[in-house]
Amino acid sequence: MSIRKQTLWDAEKDRYSGFVDLGDEIHNDKSATLASEALVFLLVGTRSHWKCPIGYFLGDKISAKDQAKLVSKSLEMAAKAGLKVWSVTADGTAVNLRTFEILGCSFNGSYDEMTTSIIHPTTGEDVFIILDPCHMLKLARNALAHLGTIVDGEGNVIRWHHIEELQKLQEVEGLNLGNKLSPNHLKFQKHKMNVRLAAQTLSSSVANAVEFLDKSMKLSSFHDSHGTVIFIRTIDRLFDMLNSRNPIAKGFKTPLHPKTKDTWEEILMSTADYLLSLKTSAPTGQLLSTSQRKTFVIGFVACIKSTISMATQMFSLPTNPFKYLLTYKFSQDHIKLLFSCIRSRGGWNNNPNVLQFKYAIRKMLMRNAITASKYANCVDFTGCNNIIPIFHTRKHKKSTTYENIVEASASNNDSSDIFSMCEHLNEEGHSEFTSNVLFYIAGYIVSKLMKTLVCPACKKSLLPLPKQLPANGHDYTSTIYHEAGKASSFTTFVNRGGLQIPSTSVFRTVEYCEHVFKATVTGKDGKQISNEGNLKKKMIVNVFQHFTLDSTSELFTDHEDDDNEIL
């Protein structure tokens, strides 16, 4: 963690502080140098939920040799306390890699030639090295953006250009194709440390969008995107497996179980082979694992090898073996959260000085160690000691009815212009891209309504009608009939059984709502955002008027009028 270089008077020790301090075990040649960073060691429980910092050292560009001594000393102290240390986690900086090499690791060569564990100085057991998967994910994103193109072992080209084109298309259309890409995801230089941006860039949702635009919509800017899709999905799948935190999660986020060892071990091994086969583009064609952008490759491969070996030992313990393994336990997020707490003590001070750092971590340790007595007047069953503020107010929203919506919108002089603009937009229709996004949104709306509605007729009206069976009554390949046509292609493309297909009435409603939104919010020119009031109410009125006045736009015709629910 970075700290501020500053000379401070420490009244407690009656001397100036703020200088480099590596403890009594290491000879300090920089005792007169101001410290610029704090090296913190944190223990995290693998079976239970606890975290405890055990030491910190103040330094200024600590060397790998000194850092290796501190790691060994920490392992010795943990062994004296009766703790078994399974792994050591750090990010992929050059000094950290060199530290682990001094302790006995080797990150060069093939998968079998790599050594990703060190010998415990006290017990002689293996201590596995984990290079933080979150940091490796950011480095993978950075490498692809910097190089532009990467070639995998089968000759498929991985292009950053495809992700850029996806974002450009979504900006033009004004809608995202089932992903969270934004300009910040591509201009990440000012947000390099943000894991969320990297995870959302190299996510399966981005891969689905790129593949759909290539295979279904046949857009030339996404031609030959097969390599990009494979790379993104491989990185996303690996990150999920190395970041599992929920014992009952599904898919690739499920924890590692001994019963499924053959499955997840095969996936991890094949992923390691894929990463080691990546090359730079022509004319050099150099393996990424030997290039300047090698860190994310060797980091992920080291994580894979350490995870497989460590899980094998955990599941085969003679007494009390692990039933499952949550790989998030070995993430560096725990110490990052500690740093966040330290910074928050100074009002989110990103660079506390030495004394601020020392007193912040001391205060947290003392506070976390204090618990309520069992002889107190009350027992805390919730685990929350927050005090409710005295001056606590709540805002009560006025209930919205159709009458007050119309009343609020009646004063709008431009309502007729907006209504005519909506009708004009409705006649022009949406682009194929926008229609696919709106159909996907309509399915999401249906999935939410299906959880809240109790009326069977209402639920039925939200879903499409089944296709008519042929005369023999055995059409096992029959699909859901829908008038939307091409608009449903993206939802069908990415559906793995968990997405809802909306009825034609729902889709037509969402389509017109998009027209109303554009006409009401962006206006005629489509370049400025309206600052008028009651925008939401005006849009609701326009939608009501369209489907009420137009007899050809009747919706939910199969819904019975005498039901006690109104859509």
Side-chain angles (χ1 to χ4, degrees):
M1 175 181 174
S2 297
I3 58 177
R4 187 185 308 164
K5 284 187 175 183
Q6 189 175 4
T7 304
L8 302 162
W9 175 254
D10 190 350
E12 182 180 336
K13 295 185 178 180
D14 194 25
R15 68 177 186 183
Y16 283 99
S17 63
F19 303 101
V20 171
D21 185 3
L22 300 180
D24 299 331
E25 299 293 330
I26 299 177
H27 176 68
N28 187 7
D29 295 330
K30 297 182 178 181
S31 57
T33 305
L34 290 176
S36 62
E37 58 189 12
L39 177 64
V40 183
F41 289 87
L42 178 76
L43 291 176
V44 180
T46 53
R47 293 183 185 269
S48 56
H49 302 284
W50 62 269
K51 293 175 278 189
C52 181
I54 60 172
Y56 65 89
F57 302 90
L58 305 175
D60 181 42
K61 298 180 180 179
I62 302 176
S63 65
K65 184 178 179 181
D66 291 340
Q67 199 164 260
K69 293 179 180 178
L70 295 175
V71 171
S72 298
K73 186 62 178 179
S74 300
L75 293 174
E76 292 174 2
M77 295 179 66
K80 289 181 180 179
L83 298 174
K84 176 177 175 55
V85 178
W86 284 99
S87 67
V88 176
T89 302
D91 53 21
T93 59
V95 64
N96 289 341
L97 293 177
R98 180 56 186 157
T99 297
F100 296 137
E101 288 176 350
I102 293 174
L103 294 172
C105 288
S106 175
F107 301 107
N108 299 320
S110 63
Y111 179 86
D112 295 330
E113 293 172 346
M114 283 189 178
T115 303
T116 61
S117 62
I118 62 177
I119 303 300
H120 197 290
T122 302
T123 63
E125 298 174 332
D126 289 333
V127 178
F128 299 95
I129 301 302
I130 301 290
L131 298 179
D132 183 35
C134 293
H135 190 217
M136 298 304 109
L137 179 69
K138 291 182 287 186
L139 292 179
R141 185 268 318 271
N142 297 350
L144 180 58
H146 175 78
L147 297 174
T149 57
I150 300 174
V151 182
D152 63 17
E154 297 181 357
N156 299 314
V157 182
I158 305 160
R159 295 183 175 89
W160 177 255
H161 170 75
H162 291 140
I163 302 177
E164 292 178 328
E165 289 298 319
L166 174 60
Q167 172 56 22
K168 290 179 182 178
L169 179 61
Q170 292 180 156
E171 281 188 349
V172 172
E173 296 289 344
L175 293 169
N176 281 24
L177 193 60
N179 59 78
K180 297 184 178 181
L181 277 184
S182 68
N184 287 336
H185 290 79
L186 301 183
K187 300 176 182 178
F188 58 85
Q189 286 74 15
K190 294 183 179 179
H191 311 280
K192 283 187 176 181
M193 299 302 294
N194 194 319
V195 181
R196 176 180 57 85
L197 294 181
Q200 292 173 353
T201 303
L202 301 180
S203 64
S204 58
S205 59
V206 172
N208 290 337
V210 171
E211 187 178 18
F212 170 75
L213 295 172
D214 179 17
K215 292 186 176 181
S216 295
M217 295 189 65
K218 308 293 184 181
L219 297 184
S220 58
S221 55
F222 296 92
H223 177 66
D224 193 22
S225 62
H226 182 63
T228 307
V229 172
I230 292 177
F231 176 80
I232 294 176
R233 284 181 176 160
T234 301
I235 297 296
D236 179 66
R237 179 184 63 189
L238 177 60
F239 181 70
D240 287 343
M241 296 182 70
L242 296 178
N243 203 43
S244 60
R245 63 183 72 187
N246 190 345
I248 59 174
K250 303 297 182 182
F252 294 112
K253 296 182 180 181
T254 185
L256 304 183
H257 290 274
K259 294 181 180 179
T260 58
K261 182 177 183 297
D262 294 338
T263 302
W264 54 257
E265 185 176 4
E266 181 182 357
I267 294 174
L268 291 176
M269 291 285 290
S270 62
T271 303
D273 294 337
Y274 173 82
L275 292 172
L276 290 173
S277 69
L278 296 177
K279 301 178 182 178
T280 59
S281 58
T284 57
Q286 181 184 6
L287 287 173
L288 273 184
S289 58
T290 60
S291 67
Q292 292 183 347
R293 292 284 177 173
K294 65 180 179 180
T295 307
F296 88 90
V297 175
I298 63 176
F300 271 137
V301 174
C303 286
I304 291 172
K305 189 165 186 176
S306 294
T307 301
I308 293 175
S309 301
M310 181 167 49
T312 302
Q313 290 189 15
M314 288 178 166
F315 296 149
S316 59
L317 290 175
T319 57
N320 195 18
F322 282 72
K323 296 180 180 179
Y324 59 86
L325 177 60
L326 295 174
T327 52
Y328 182 69
K329 293 287 188 179
F330 312 106
S331 172
Q332 205 180 19
D333 284 4
H334 307 288
I335 202 165
K336 291 178 181 178
L337 293 174
L338 173 67
F339 292 161
S340 178
C341 293
I342 293 174
R343 294 187 182 102
S344 66
R345 294 292 176 179
W348 298 103
N349 182 9
N350 286 330
N351 292 99
N353 57 43
V354 170
L355 290 183
Q356 288 173 337
F357 176 86
K358 181 176 71 172
Y359 290 128
I361 198 169
R362 179 189 297 180
K363 186 175 181 180
M364 283 191 298
L365 286 172
M366 294 300 297
R367 178 184 176 184
N368 291 339
I370 297 174
T371 57
S373 171
K374 63 180 181 179
Y375 302 108
N377 293 331
C378 61
V379 179
D380 179 24
F381 292 102
T382 63
C384 178
N385 296 319
N386 294 335
I387 300 175
I388 301 175
I390 297 176
F391 301 102
H392 180 68
T393 59
R394 291 183 179 179
K395 293 183 179 180
H396 298 278
K397 293 185 178 180
K398 185 179 179 181
S399 59
T400 302
T401 61
Y402 181 73
E403 288 75 14
N404 59 40
I405 289 176
V406 175
E407 181 181 355
S409 181
S411 59
N412 181 25
N413 297 327
D414 299 331
S415 59
S416 59
D417 295 338
I418 294 176
F419 186 76
S420 60
M421 190 186 306
C422 293
E423 296 301 322
H424 175 68
L425 291 173
N426 192 39
E427 292 177 0
E428 290 185 350
H430 294 288
S431 65
E432 183 180 352
F433 179 91
T434 303
S435 297
N436 275 279
V437 176
L438 295 178
F439 192 91
Y440 185 83
I441 294 174
Y444 175 78
I445 294 173
V446 170
S447 65
K448 291 296 183 182
L449 291 176
M450 293 293 286
K451 297 177 182 179
T452 58
L453 295 177
V454 295
C455 172
C458 290
K459 291 184 176 181
K460 183 179 179 181
S461 64
L462 298 178
L463 300 175
L465 298 174
K467 184 179 179 181
Q468 295 293 332
L469 293 176
N472 58 13
H474 294 286
D475 185 8
Y476 297 107
T477 62
S478 64
T479 58
I480 297 297
Y481 168 74
H482 207 287
E483 297 178 4
K486 291 184 178 181
S488 62
S489 55
F490 176 70
T491 304
T492 307
F493 187 83
V494 299
N495 191 11
R496 301 295 182 268
L499 299 180
Q500 288 284 4
I501 304 297
S503 65
T504 304
S505 297
V506 175
F507 176 59
R508 286 167 56 193
T509 304
V510 173
E511 272 193 314
Y512 192 76
C513 287
E514 176 66 13
H515 291 313
V516 172
F517 178 83
K518 289 181 178 179
T520 307
V521 177
T522 61
K524 297 180 180 180
D525 56 0
K527 297 180 180 180
Q528 296 181 350
I529 301 297
S530 174
N531 59 355
E532 298 180 4
N534 297 321
L535 283 178
K536 184 177 179 180
K537 295 178 180 179
K538 293 175 185 177
M539 289 188 284
I540 295 175
V541 168
N542 284 328
V543 175
F544 269 118
Q545 289 177 347
H546 172 74
F547 291 108
T548 303
L549 299 178
D550 188 359
S551 59
T552 62
S553 301
E554 187 177 358
L555 301 179
F556 308 107
T557 55
D558 56 339
H559 188 268
E560 300 178 7
D561 296 333
D562 57 349
D563 284 313
N564 56 4
E565 282 195 64
I566 300 177
L567 289 176

